[in-house]
Amino acid sequence: MGRPVEHKLTVALAGNPNVGKSTLFNALTGLRQHTGNWPGKTVGVAQGQLDYRDTRFTLVDLPGTYSLKGTSPDEQLAGDYLQENQADCTVVVCDGSCLERSLILALEILMRCPKTVICVNLMDEAMRHGISVCPHKLSNLLEAPVVFTSAGKGEGIPALLEKIRETALQMPKLSLPCWDDPISAAEKIAGECICQNPDCDQSFRRSVDKLLVSRRVGVPFLFLVLLGIVWLTVWGANYPGLLLQSLADYGYGLLSGWATVLPGWLGGLLVDGVYAVCARVICVMLPPMAIFFPLFTALEDIGYLPRMAFLLDPVFARCGGCGKQALTLCMGLGCNAVGVMGCRIIQSPRERLNAILTNAMVPCNGRFPTLILLGSLFFTGSGSALVVAFCVALGVVGAMAVSFLLSKTLSKGEASTFCMEMPPFRRPRLGQILVRSVLDRTVFVAGRALLVAAPAGAVLWALSNTGLLKLVADFLNPVGLFLGMNGVILLAFLFCLPANELLLPVILLSITQAQSLQAVTGVGYALLGSFFTWQMALCTMVFTLFHWPCGTTLMTVYRETHSIKNTAAAFILPTAAGMLLCTLLNFFL
Amino acid sequence: MPLEMGLDKLPLGIPGQVTQMAENMPLTQRLNQFGLVPGTRICCRYRTPGGSVTAVEFRGAVVALRTRDMAAIRVEV
């Protein structure tokens, strides 16, 4: 510390997906990432800074790629960056437990970038698998510096920094090495440097994998995992939800006191409108999300998600999709906007579009409270998680049915192929899970929701205080009744366009005719029971599953597809499905 | 006497070597990037209950493919 910065260097981290590149990045920069680590072009790559001795490094975390000639947008970004030689030094991160494959990319990069350091990561994992690598041989054969690291444990980081600094400040090599065929060269080099301990048994790892995809164990286990996640999210969100609610009430008291200095209407607008709605949205959405996303990220970290996609691919293939759609639907349980963004992992454009358009059909956890409350009109006690689980299943079936119809009509075409890497199981790193899920996902989503909830709060307040709310509800009543609901509920759904968390608050506000949301918390919920008939509750639950996606999701669909037509389709498809189902339900009940 | 067959017919756990891959297919290009080319040693590891998806291991990595698509890859045992 305190040493003046003499050199400023840009260092690019490149490597195959899932070789611990981000872990290394975080180990180097100490989690001082200044953007969320979303893969892809629109958000860009993660950058971080660190000072080492007299040098300030700017690290660029490129998306994972298998080859410089990759075809997906993520891979092209990484390829372009490396082709243009923008960095002072390139670090190729290799997987020590799967070195041969990692070396193909390493050779491609060595042939283009004169200042390259080879970092063989995951050495702890390689050791567990009985693999040892000779660093001197590898360095000689590659004609480049080689460093071994175990980024998860922080081993080898200082040595890596020293090598990067040394390489970047050297004169560049005059001639670049050349391998005619990187694939067979990688095979040869790996063969000479790697020593596999014959005593180390691979059969345990393989039998765990076999068990996890078997009919007897794997399939029930998959359902248990999904049910467990939903249950933990629903049950666990109760207590922090109550705590946040009392905090919000306290804040309301304080703010109303301060607002007396403002003109009456402005105070009402800001405190009863904007604050009350924002507080409600946060109270409802934050706890389940703060539970769901770490759980989901943990599954991601362990490596269970690819097994899930593997098991579910046959089911989705029949609906014209692929197993990866199961993962994006699962992400949609947390937030549909995140799920839509996650569709980038699907290579085939046709299947990716289907997955994007149907994602909003699985309920995000902003809709869980509505489903639980309405479900509690039918079931009491611990049945609520079951109600949610049933609704999730219904949503998934709906998404699959619409995908099927789409693949037969609008997005007809060749059934595409499915190709997915199955990484070995890894021990989850708790710290990283929390940081990644809370910072990258939860805060990101909550921030977006607040952005839309604040103006919605103001409008809601203005409407309810001028009596317009009732007027609009009366106007919508015939349509609502036709769909098995009523005008008030339909109006509430319209208000859900900014955020689905608003559904119950708007209904409460309408039926109690109260001035502010804050006033209706306790008594209001008792009123709901007498407001809903069971047919109405059922139709509302169905419409909660299938209606227009929230504004954030629609914005994300537009950003991901760059097409107004597709955004409109994302709006219309679930709405049409919901209207059809509700009309049918209303007709038969 | 080497026995040649489609990769989809290769029994689980039996190592083979790729002899030929259908050209001009998106899957072939993708697999080439993964390092699967003629000459690569390959082994099928596990399947889904219906058998329609198979996990194959090559170059130390495991990749899941649809069994139907694997017919385009010829292997010899």
Side-chain angles (χ1 to χ4, degrees), chain A residues 373-380 387 533-538 541:
Chain A
L373 198 85
L374 293 174
S376 67
L377 299 178
F378 300 106
F379 300 96
T380 46
V387 171
T533 61
W534 70 270
Q535 291 98 329
M536 215 186 261
L538 201 65
M541 281 169 88

Side-chain angles (χ1 to χ4, degrees), chain A residues 124-125 128 153 301-302 424-430 433:
Chain A
D124 45 348
E125 197 172 297
R128 269 209 307 280
K153 294 180 183 161
D301 223 38
I302 294 169
F425 285 109
R426 281 182 194 144
R427 207 169 300 147
R429 296 171 304 267
L430 287 177
I433 288 175

Side-chain angles (χ1 to χ4, degrees), chain A residues 66 69 75 100-101 104 183 187 206 209-210 213 215 310 313-314 321-322 347 416-417 419-422, chain B residues 30 32-35 37 41 45-49 52-53 55 57 59-66 69:
Chain A
Y66 289 105
K69 292 161 253 162
E75 292 178 333
E100 186 178 334
R101 225 267 310 279
I104 302 172
I183 295 178
E187 191 178 329
R206 284 182 187 140
D209 258 335
K210 263 189 192 158
V213 297
R215 194 191 304 265
F310 182 85
D313 179 70
C322 75
Q347 254 98 33
S416 76
T417 52
C419 180
M420 181 184 61
E421 172 142 36
M422 310 283 282
Chain B
R30 186 99 196 122
N32 287 345
Q33 287 171 12
F34 277 68
V37 290
R41 281 183 297 278
R45 285 295 168 206
Y46 48 90
R47 292 214 158 96
T48 48
S52 59
V53 187
E57 185 172 345
R59 298 189 195 279
V62 182
V63 175
L65 299 171
R66 293 210 177 119
D69 299 335

Side-chain angles (χ1 to χ4, degrees), chain B residues 12-67:
Chain B
L12 294 183
I14 307 288
Q17 192 163 26
V18 178
T19 54
Q20 208 187 335
M21 292 167 79
E23 272 167 44
N24 300 323
M25 256 178 52
L27 181 68
T28 308
Q29 284 164 15
R30 186 99 196 122
L31 286 174
N32 287 345
Q33 287 171 12
F34 277 68
L36 187 72
V37 290
T40 309
R41 281 183 297 278
I42 194 166
C43 186
C44 298
R45 285 295 168 206
Y46 48 90
R47 292 214 158 96
T48 48
S52 59
V53 187
T54 307
V56 295
E57 185 172 345
F58 56 90
R59 298 189 195 279
V62 182
V63 175
L65 299 171
R66 293 210 177 119
T67 313

Side-chain angles (χ1 to χ4, degrees), chain A residues 208-360:
Chain A
V208 169
D209 258 335
K210 263 189 192 158
L211 203 64
L212 277 178
V213 297
S214 64
R215 194 191 304 265
R216 289 257 172 83
V217 181
V219 178
F221 184 74
L222 172 71
F223 284 104
L224 275 180
V225 166
L226 291 179
L227 196 69
I229 286 189
V230 170
W231 185 78
L232 272 176
T233 306
V234 168
W235 171 82
N238 278 333
Y239 306 99
L242 287 175
L243 191 75
L244 276 178
Q245 186 64 55
S246 49
L247 259 178
D249 289 343
Y250 179 71
Y252 178 76
L254 275 183
L255 281 178
S256 337
W258 294 339
T260 45
V261 296
L262 294 171
W265 66 271
L266 187 62
L269 186 77
L270 289 180
V271 178
D272 289 331
V274 176
Y275 173 80
V277 169
C278 285
R280 176 59 63 94
V281 167
I282 287 291
C283 289
V284 170
M285 85 185 299
L286 206 57
M289 219 177 264
I291 296 172
F292 176 84
F293 277 130
L295 286 177
F296 187 80
T297 315
L299 281 187
E300 204 176 357
D301 223 38
I302 294 169
Y304 185 66
L305 290 185
R307 270 79 184 173
M308 195 166 108
F310 182 85
L311 263 180
L312 289 173
D313 179 70
V315 188
F316 279 90
R318 285 198 193 155
C319 308
C322 75
K324 289 176 188 169
Q325 193 178 353
L327 302 189
T328 62
L329 287 179
C330 211
M331 273 189 232
L333 283 178
C335 168
N336 292 126
V338 175
V340 167
M341 228 179 309
C343 291
R344 288 178 188 174
I345 58 171
I346 302 173
Q347 254 98 33
S348 144
R350 184 186 75 110
E351 284 167 16
R352 179 160 169 254
L353 185 63
N354 283 357
I356 287 176
L357 296 184
T358 53
N359 194 281

Side-chain angles (χ1 to χ4, degrees), chain A residues 360-432:
Chain A
M361 293 186 147
V362 293
C364 62
N365 53 37
R367 287 183 261 173
F368 282 5
T370 315
L371 295 171
I372 294 169
L373 198 85
L374 293 174
S376 67
L377 299 178
F378 300 106
F379 300 96
T380 46
S382 62
S384 57
L386 274 178
V387 171
V388 175
F390 178 74
C391 291
V392 169
L394 194 65
V396 171
V397 170
M400 280 161 66
V402 172
S403 296
F404 178 76
L405 286 176
L406 278 176
S407 65
K408 289 275 175 274
T409 52
L410 283 176
S411 57
K412 245 203 249 176
E414 285 269 313
S416 76
T417 52
F418 174 69
C419 180
M420 181 184 61
E421 172 142 36
M422 310 283 282
F425 285 109
R426 281 182 194 144
R427 207 169 300 147
R429 296 171 304 267
L430 287 177
Q432 212 195 337

Side-chain angles (χ1 to χ4, degrees), chain A residues 462-496:
Chain A
L463 282 181
S464 67
N465 279 278
T466 48
L468 271 173
L469 202 61
K470 195 176 173 316
L471 225 64
V472 181
D474 286 343
F475 176 74
L476 288 171
N477 208 30
V479 188
L481 286 176
F482 182 73
L483 294 174
M485 296 176 283
N486 61 27
V488 171
I489 305 175
L490 201 60
L491 176 68
F493 272 113
L494 283 177
F495 262 104
C496 281

Side-chain angles (χ1 to χ4, degrees), chain A residues 48-114:
Chain A
Q49 275 195 348
L50 91 148
D51 290 337
Y52 173 73
R53 290 177 44 187
D54 57 350
T55 315
R56 172 159 296 167
F57 290 106
T58 303
L59 283 138
V60 181
D61 188 14
L62 295 174
T65 175
Y66 289 105
S67 159
L68 290 185
K69 292 161 253 162
T71 43
S72 79
D74 274 5
E75 292 178 333
Q76 272 167 5
L77 174 80
D80 289 349
Y81 189 94
L82 291 172
Q83 299 273 29
E84 289 162 19
N85 250 322
Q86 290 178 22
D88 296 309
C89 179
T90 308
V91 178
V92 186
V93 188
C94 297
D95 179 351
S97 64
C98 174
L99 190 60
E100 186 178 334
R101 225 267 310 279
S102 309
L103 279 179
I104 302 172
L105 178 71
L107 294 180
E108 282 185 348
I109 292 174
L110 279 169
M111 286 193 280
R112 283 191 184 82
C113 307

